[in-house]
Amino acid sequence: MRLYPIHAGHFKLDGGAMFGVVPKTLWTRTNPADANNMIDIAARCLLIEDGDRLILIDTGMGDKQSDKFFGYYHLWGSDSIDSSLKAHRFHRDDITDVFMTHLHFDHCGGSIQWNSDKTGYEPAFKNATFWSNGDHWKWATQPNNREKASFLQENILPLEDSGQLQFTATPKADILENSALGFDIFFANGHTEKQMIPMIKYQDKTICFMADLLPTVGHLPLPFVMGYDTRPLLTLKEKERFLNLAANSNYYLFLEHDAHNEIITVEHTEKGVRLKDTFTTQDIFNS
C-alpha cells in the first residue's frame, strides 16, 4: 500500500463560522484571520494505492460552479486534483474508487463535472465506483433547511443517475465498521448525519482522515466546534471519544482542512487531549 496527498485547492471561510461560540481572541492564536475575518482552508484529499485499486478520499469543491459561487470562498493557490495526481504520475481515469466522507459541496463537488458540451453533468472519474452510505445519502437528498445550501443537488443526484454509486455499511450506532474498501470507518453524527472518518492501516501506523470531525489543529480543544455542525453537543462527545482513542493508540491524524498542518499526533495533558507532534505527508508517506 502507498499513500499520496492530493491537493484539490485552497479557499477561505469565515473564522467565526469555523469556531462557533469560541471568542475570536482565542481561535486566532492558531488560525489567524484576514481583514474580512476569513481564515485559510485546504481541500487536502488522500489517495490510497492498494494492489489494483486506486482509492481517492474526497474530491474538494470541483470547478463547475459559477464565479459568483466561488467568490464567496475566495479561492487561492494553484493546486488542483489533476495537477496533484499528475505529480504522482496518475490520471483521474486511473481512479477505481472515490470515497466521500460526506456530501457537503467542499468534500464531494469534484466528483461531478460538466459533460463535454455543458448541457448536463457526468462523473469526473469515469472508471470509479463512488461510495457513500445509505443514511447519509437520505439526509443529503432530503436536506434540512440548515444544511440545504451545503448539499448541492448537482453534486449528488448525477452520482445516482450514473449507476456508479454504491453504499458502504451503515452501523446502527457510532461504532467502528469495516468498509468494502478495506479500512475501518468511524461514523460521526455531530457535523452531519453519518459522516465517515476512514482509518487506514499503513505500515505500523493508523492514518485517520479527519474530514470535518477535526478540521484544523485549532479545533483540538473540545469546545472549539464549528458553527456549521448540526448537533454541536454531539460533536463534543464524538471528538472526546475519538481524540482519547487517538491519544491512547498514537493515531496519525490527516487534516483535510488545515492549510498549514498536514498530519498530527495528539497526547493526554492536564488540559485534555492536545497536539503532540506535527508531520508533513512526506515525513510519513515516504518513510
Side-chain angles (χ1 to χ4, degrees), residues 114-162:
W114 287 107
N115 60 18
S116 58
D117 55 7
K118 289 198 171 184
T119 59
Y121 303 108
E122 65 184 10
F125 303 88
K126 66 179 184 181
N127 298 316
T129 298
F130 293 84
W131 296 88
S132 183
N133 69 73
D135 287 352
H136 182 66
W137 182 265
K138 182 178 180 180
W139 187 266
T141 55
Q142 301 174 31
N144 58 76
N145 288 333
R146 181 185 174 97
E147 284 184 276
K148 191 173 183 179
S150 293
F151 289 128
L152 305 182
Q153 298 305 293
E154 61 267 31
N155 289 337
I156 299 172
L157 298 183
L159 291 171
E160 186 173 39
D161 295 340
S162 73

Side-chain angles (χ1 to χ4, degrees), residues 247-275:
N248 292 339
S249 304
N250 196 39
Y251 290 162
Y252 288 75
L253 309 184
F254 183 100
L255 302 178
E256 182 172 14
H257 282 323
D258 194 316
H260 308 292
N261 299 282
E262 296 179 306
I263 296 176
I264 64 170
T265 54
V266 294
E267 62 184 351
H268 294 289
T269 75
E270 61 182 14
K271 294 183 177 181
V273 176
R274 292 292 187 270
L275 178 66

Side-chain angles (χ1 to χ4, degrees), residues 99-102 132-137 167-180 183-199 209 213 231 234-235 237-239 241-242 245:
F99 181 91
M100 297 168 291
T101 60
H102 60 297
S132 183
N133 69 73
D135 287 352
H136 182 66
W137 182 265
F167 295 148
T168 192
T170 303
K172 294 181 180 179
D174 296 330
I175 60 173
L176 292 178
E177 180 103 4
N178 189 264
S179 80
F183 48 74
D184 287 333
I185 298 170
F186 181 91
F187 286 82
N189 297 293
H191 179 60
T192 188
E193 181 74 7
K194 290 297 185 290
Q195 176 185 203
M196 299 190 288
I197 307 299
M199 303 173 65
F209 187 93
L213 182 59
R231 307 178 182 109
L234 182 54
T235 295
K237 295 179 180 179
E238 291 171 340
K239 274 178 63 178
R241 178 184 171 200
F242 193 94
L245 184 64

Side-chain angles (χ1 to χ4, degrees), residues 17-91:
M18 283 297 291
F19 285 92
V21 300
V22 177
K24 183 177 181 179
T25 54
L26 296 181
W27 58 256
T28 51
R29 296 174 184 176
T30 54
N31 298 74
D34 65 17
N36 295 314
N37 210 49
M38 308 294 280
I39 64 174
D40 292 347
I41 299 292
R44 184 180 296 111
C45 309
L46 181 62
L47 186 66
I48 306 170
E49 183 181 18
D50 189 14
D52 60 357
R53 297 183 88 165
L54 205 58
I55 305 161
L56 180 63
I57 300 177
D58 280 356
T59 59
M61 289 189 185
D63 59 6
K64 64 183 176 298
Q65 307 300 330
S66 67
D67 290 341
K68 180 180 179 181
F69 176 89
F70 288 121
Y72 295 128
Y73 301 102
H74 307 273
L75 306 187
W76 57 279
S78 58
D79 288 324
S80 70
I81 283 183
D82 287 314
S83 64
S84 194
L85 286 172
K86 185 177 180 180
H88 297 298
R89 300 183 179 181
F90 296 115
H91 185 273

